[in-house]
């Protein structure tokens, strides 16, 4: 299962790298700077955690596919048209709120 555009409304901020005055003054020009620090906003950190979880999640859930195939073969799989229509409307409404 691919999940794309999960957080289209979230925008990440590019934060400037802050260098302490002591480190900047004491380091010779061209030398490696060791005092640099980057602070990420909490929403950026949350997005990074979600990306890591999604990277570990398989795209295909084989156990679910096998169960559904078995139901179809036995003629037990029934589609609830009302539930499908409700989900389609919910998706349409939530998408339109994100775009506006």
């Amino acid at each position: 299962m691919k999940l794309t555009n999960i957080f289209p409304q979230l925008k990440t901020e590019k934060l400037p790298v802050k260098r302490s005055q002591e480190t900047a003054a004491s380091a010779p020009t061209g030398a490696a700077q060791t005092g640099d620090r980057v602070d990420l906003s909490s929403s950026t950190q949350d997005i990074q955690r979600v990306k890591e979880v999604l990277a570990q999640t398989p795209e295909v859930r084989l156990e679910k596919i096998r169960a559904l195939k078995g139901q179809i073969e036995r003629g037990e799989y029934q589609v609830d048209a009302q539930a499908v229509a409700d989900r389609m409307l919910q998706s349409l409404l939530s998408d339109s709120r994100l775009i506006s």
Side-chain angles (χ1 to χ4, degrees):
M1 167 174 58
K2 278 193 173 184
L3 300 174
T4 56
N5 297 327
I6 296 173
F7 301 108
Q9 74 278 11
L10 293 180
K11 297 186 181 197
T12 58
E13 300 173 18
K14 291 185 179 181
L15 300 174
V17 176
K18 295 179 182 177
R19 187 174 300 161
S20 68
Q21 291 179 355
E22 293 173 6
T23 305
S26 65
T29 306
Q33 304 280 329
T34 58
D36 293 345
R37 193 177 107 184
V38 176
D39 294 321
L40 300 176
S41 67
S42 62
S43 61
T44 302
Q45 291 172 354
D46 292 340
I47 291 171
Q48 185 62 36
R49 281 189 220 109
V50 168
K51 284 182 178 180
E52 290 170 1
V53 169
L54 288 175
Q56 297 172 1
T57 304
E59 288 188 35
V60 178
R61 296 182 294 172
L62 292 176
E63 66 281 348
K64 180 122 181 156
I65 292 171
R66 287 186 189 118
L68 288 172
K69 279 185 178 182
Q71 287 178 355
I72 292 168
E73 288 171 359
R74 292 186 303 273
E76 298 172 353
Y77 183 74
Q78 299 294 319
V79 176
D80 183 357
Q82 184 66 41
V84 172
D86 287 344
R87 282 274 178 96
M88 289 173 69
L89 287 173
Q90 287 174 355
S91 176
L92 178 65
L93 291 173
S94 67
D95 288 347
S96 67
R97 273 187 255 138
L98 292 175
I99 295 170
S100 301

PDB file of all heavy atoms in Angstrom, residues 7 10-12 41-53:
ATOM      1  N   PHE A   7       0.652  14.432   4.020  1.00  0.00           N
ATOM      2  CA  PHE A   7       0.691  15.703   4.716  1.00  0.00           C
ATOM      3  C   PHE A   7       0.872  16.857   3.735  1.00  0.00           C
ATOM      4  O   PHE A   7       1.796  17.639   3.854  1.00  0.00           O
ATOM      5  CB  PHE A   7       1.843  15.730   5.730  1.00  0.00           C
ATOM      6  CG  PHE A   7       1.755  14.659   6.757  1.00  0.00           C
ATOM      7  CD1 PHE A   7       2.623  13.588   6.748  1.00  0.00           C
ATOM      8  CD2 PHE A   7       0.796  14.715   7.747  1.00  0.00           C
ATOM      9  CE1 PHE A   7       2.539  12.595   7.698  1.00  0.00           C
ATOM     10  CE2 PHE A   7       0.707  13.734   8.700  1.00  0.00           C
ATOM     11  CZ  PHE A   7       1.580  12.670   8.676  1.00  0.00           C
ATOM     12  N   LEU A  10       1.065  20.363   5.463  1.00  0.00           N
ATOM     13  CA  LEU A  10       2.162  20.700   6.357  1.00  0.00           C
ATOM     14  C   LEU A  10       3.313  21.283   5.557  1.00  0.00           C
ATOM     15  O   LEU A  10       3.688  20.764   4.529  1.00  0.00           O
ATOM     16  CB  LEU A  10       2.655  19.464   7.110  1.00  0.00           C
ATOM     17  CG  LEU A  10       1.686  18.862   8.104  1.00  0.00           C
ATOM     18  CD1 LEU A  10       2.311  17.650   8.756  1.00  0.00           C
ATOM     19  CD2 LEU A  10       1.299  19.863   9.166  1.00  0.00           C
ATOM     20  N   LYS A  11       3.858  22.360   6.038  1.00  0.00           N
ATOM     21  CA  LYS A  11       5.010  22.971   5.389  1.00  0.00           C
ATOM     22  C   LYS A  11       6.154  22.972   6.378  1.00  0.00           C
ATOM     23  O   LYS A  11       5.976  23.297   7.541  1.00  0.00           O
ATOM     24  CB  LYS A  11       4.685  24.384   4.941  1.00  0.00           C
ATOM     25  CG  LYS A  11       3.595  24.403   3.903  1.00  0.00           C
ATOM     26  CD  LYS A  11       3.363  25.768   3.361  1.00  0.00           C
ATOM     27  CE  LYS A  11       2.233  25.660   2.367  1.00  0.00           C
ATOM     28  NZ  LYS A  11       2.130  26.755   1.504  1.00  0.00           N
ATOM     29  N   THR A  12       7.295  22.577   5.902  1.00  0.00           N
ATOM     30  CA  THR A  12       8.464  22.576   6.769  1.00  0.00           C
ATOM     31  C   THR A  12       9.211  23.887   6.579  1.00  0.00           C
ATOM     32  O   THR A  12       9.150  24.514   5.532  1.00  0.00           O
ATOM     33  CB  THR A  12       9.394  21.400   6.457  1.00  0.00           C
ATOM     34  OG1 THR A  12       9.774  21.483   5.087  1.00  0.00           O
ATOM     35  CG2 THR A  12       8.704  20.081   6.722  1.00  0.00           C
ATOM     36  N   SER A  41      12.093  21.895  13.711  1.00  0.00           N
ATOM     37  CA  SER A  41      10.818  22.146  14.375  1.00  0.00           C
ATOM     38  C   SER A  41      10.167  20.816  14.732  1.00  0.00           C
ATOM     39  O   SER A  41      10.490  19.771  14.166  1.00  0.00           O
ATOM     40  CB  SER A  41       9.901  22.960  13.462  1.00  0.00           C
ATOM     41  OG  SER A  41       9.531  22.191  12.331  1.00  0.00           O
ATOM     42  N   SER A  42       9.235  20.844  15.659  1.00  0.00           N
ATOM     43  CA  SER A  42       8.597  19.599  16.095  1.00  0.00           C
ATOM     44  C   SER A  42       7.802  18.964  14.962  1.00  0.00           C
ATOM     45  O   SER A  42       7.762  17.736  14.843  1.00  0.00           O
ATOM     46  CB  SER A  42       7.701  19.836  17.307  1.00  0.00           C
ATOM     47  OG  SER A  42       6.655  20.731  16.960  1.00  0.00           O
ATOM     48  N   SER A  43       7.170  19.755  14.104  1.00  0.00           N
ATOM     49  CA  SER A  43       6.415  19.159  12.994  1.00  0.00           C
ATOM     50  C   SER A  43       7.362  18.489  12.004  1.00  0.00           C
ATOM     51  O   SER A  43       7.043  17.432  11.459  1.00  0.00           O
ATOM     52  CB  SER A  43       5.546  20.202  12.288  1.00  0.00           C
ATOM     53  OG  SER A  43       6.335  21.233  11.745  1.00  0.00           O
ATOM     54  N   THR A  44       8.544  19.056  11.792  1.00  0.00           N
ATOM     55  CA  THR A  44       9.528  18.426  10.910  1.00  0.00           C
ATOM     56  C   THR A  44      10.011  17.116  11.517  1.00  0.00           C
ATOM     57  O   THR A  44      10.183  16.124  10.806  1.00  0.00           O
ATOM     58  CB  THR A  44      10.711  19.380  10.677  1.00  0.00           C
ATOM     59  OG1 THR A  44      10.220  20.599  10.125  1.00  0.00           O
ATOM     60  CG2 THR A  44      11.724  18.775   9.722  1.00  0.00           C
ATOM     61  N   GLN A  45      10.213  17.090  12.816  1.00  0.00           N
ATOM     62  CA  GLN A  45      10.631  15.860  13.486  1.00  0.00           C
ATOM     63  C   GLN A  45       9.531  14.798  13.389  1.00  0.00           C
ATOM     64  O   GLN A  45       9.821  13.625  13.165  1.00  0.00           O
ATOM     65  CB  GLN A  45      10.969  16.141  14.943  1.00  0.00           C
ATOM     66  CG  GLN A  45      12.213  16.978  15.106  1.00  0.00           C
ATOM     67  CD  GLN A  45      12.450  17.418  16.538  1.00  0.00           C
ATOM     68  OE1 GLN A  45      11.621  17.197  17.412  1.00  0.00           O
ATOM     69  NE2 GLN A  45      13.588  18.050  16.786  1.00  0.00           N
ATOM     70  N   ASP A  46       8.268  15.210  13.538  1.00  0.00           N
ATOM     71  CA  ASP A  46       7.152  14.273  13.412  1.00  0.00           C
ATOM     72  C   ASP A  46       7.093  13.682  12.009  1.00  0.00           C
ATOM     73  O   ASP A  46       6.883  12.474  11.839  1.00  0.00           O
ATOM     74  CB  ASP A  46       5.818  14.955  13.738  1.00  0.00           C
ATOM     75  CG  ASP A  46       5.694  15.329  15.205  1.00  0.00           C
ATOM     76  OD1 ASP A  46       6.438  14.753  16.037  1.00  0.00           O
ATOM     77  OD2 ASP A  46       4.857  16.193  15.525  1.00  0.00           O
ATOM     78  N   ILE A  47       7.280  14.522  11.011  1.00  0.00           N
ATOM     79  CA  ILE A  47       7.260  14.043   9.624  1.00  0.00           C
ATOM     80  C   ILE A  47       8.394  13.051   9.396  1.00  0.00           C
ATOM     81  O   ILE A  47       8.211  12.023   8.736  1.00  0.00           O
ATOM     82  CB  ILE A  47       7.349  15.228   8.638  1.00  0.00           C
ATOM     83  CG1 ILE A  47       6.055  16.031   8.689  1.00  0.00           C
ATOM     84  CG2 ILE A  47       7.629  14.742   7.221  1.00  0.00           C
ATOM     85  CD1 ILE A  47       6.098  17.326   7.922  1.00  0.00           C
ATOM     86  N   GLN A  48       9.553  13.316   9.951  1.00  0.00           N
ATOM     87  CA  GLN A  48      10.686  12.400   9.807  1.00  0.00           C
ATOM     88  C   GLN A  48      10.368  11.052  10.438  1.00  0.00           C
ATOM     89  O   GLN A  48      10.668  10.003   9.858  1.00  0.00           O
ATOM     90  CB  GLN A  48      11.945  13.011  10.440  1.00  0.00           C
ATOM     91  CG  GLN A  48      13.180  12.175  10.233  1.00  0.00           C
ATOM     92  CD  GLN A  48      13.541  12.019   8.776  1.00  0.00           C
ATOM     93  OE1 GLN A  48      13.366  12.948   7.987  1.00  0.00           O
ATOM     94  NE2 GLN A  48      14.032  10.868   8.399  1.00  0.00           N
ATOM     95  N   ARG A  49       9.734  11.051  11.618  1.00  0.00           N
ATOM     96  CA  ARG A  49       9.357   9.785  12.263  1.00  0.00           C
ATOM     97  C   ARG A  49       8.348   9.017  11.418  1.00  0.00           C
ATOM     98  O   ARG A  49       8.437   7.804  11.281  1.00  0.00           O
ATOM     99  CB  ARG A  49       8.785  10.057  13.656  1.00  0.00           C
ATOM    100  CG  ARG A  49       9.852  10.327  14.679  1.00  0.00           C
ATOM    101  CD  ARG A  49       9.272  10.385  16.095  1.00  0.00           C
ATOM    102  NE  ARG A  49       9.942  11.467  16.783  1.00  0.00           N
ATOM    103  CZ  ARG A  49       9.403  12.621  17.125  1.00  0.00           C
ATOM    104  NH1 ARG A  49       8.145  12.854  16.901  1.00  0.00           N
ATOM    105  NH2 ARG A  49      10.106  13.549  17.723  1.00  0.00           N
ATOM    106  N   VAL A  50       7.371   9.724  10.844  1.00  0.00           N
ATOM    107  CA  VAL A  50       6.366   9.071   9.995  1.00  0.00           C
ATOM    108  C   VAL A  50       7.040   8.457   8.776  1.00  0.00           C
ATOM    109  O   VAL A  50       6.731   7.328   8.388  1.00  0.00           O
ATOM    110  CB  VAL A  50       5.263  10.072   9.575  1.00  0.00           C
ATOM    111  CG1 VAL A  50       4.387   9.508   8.478  1.00  0.00           C
ATOM    112  CG2 VAL A  50       4.417  10.460  10.772  1.00  0.00           C
ATOM    113  N   LYS A  51       7.975   9.181   8.180  1.00  0.00           N
ATOM    114  CA  LYS A  51       8.696   8.646   7.021  1.00  0.00           C
ATOM    115  C   LYS A  51       9.450   7.374   7.384  1.00  0.00           C
ATOM    116  O   LYS A  51       9.490   6.425   6.606  1.00  0.00           O
ATOM    117  CB  LYS A  51       9.671   9.681   6.471  1.00  0.00           C
ATOM    118  CG  LYS A  51       9.009  10.780   5.681  1.00  0.00           C
ATOM    119  CD  LYS A  51      10.068  11.730   5.130  1.00  0.00           C
ATOM    120  CE  LYS A  51       9.464  12.816   4.286  1.00  0.00           C
ATOM    121  NZ  LYS A  51      10.487  13.734   3.746  1.00  0.00           N
ATOM    122  N   GLU A  52      10.065   7.354   8.551  1.00  0.00           N
ATOM    123  CA  GLU A  52      10.801   6.169   8.984  1.00  0.00           C
ATOM    124  C   GLU A  52       9.873   4.979   9.185  1.00  0.00           C
ATOM    125  O   GLU A  52      10.186   3.862   8.783  1.00  0.00           O
ATOM    126  CB  GLU A  52      11.568   6.471  10.272  1.00  0.00           C
ATOM    127  CG  GLU A  52      12.731   7.423  10.072  1.00  0.00           C
ATOM    128  CD  GLU A  52      13.336   7.912  11.376  1.00  0.00           C
ATOM    129  OE1 GLU A  52      12.866   7.492  12.464  1.00  0.00           O
ATOM    130  OE2 GLU A  52      14.268   8.739  11.310  1.00  0.00           O
ATOM    131  N   VAL A  53       8.711   5.212   9.788  1.00  0.00           N
ATOM    132  CA  VAL A  53       7.739   4.134   9.995  1.00  0.00           C
ATOM    133  C   VAL A  53       7.233   3.619   8.655  1.00  0.00           C
ATOM    134  O   VAL A  53       7.134   2.409   8.429  1.00  0.00           O
ATOM    135  CB  VAL A  53       6.563   4.606  10.884  1.00  0.00           C
ATOM    136  CG1 VAL A  53       5.431   3.604  10.879  1.00  0.00           C
ATOM    137  CG2 VAL A  53       7.048   4.852  12.307  1.00  0.00           C
TER     138      VAL A  53
END
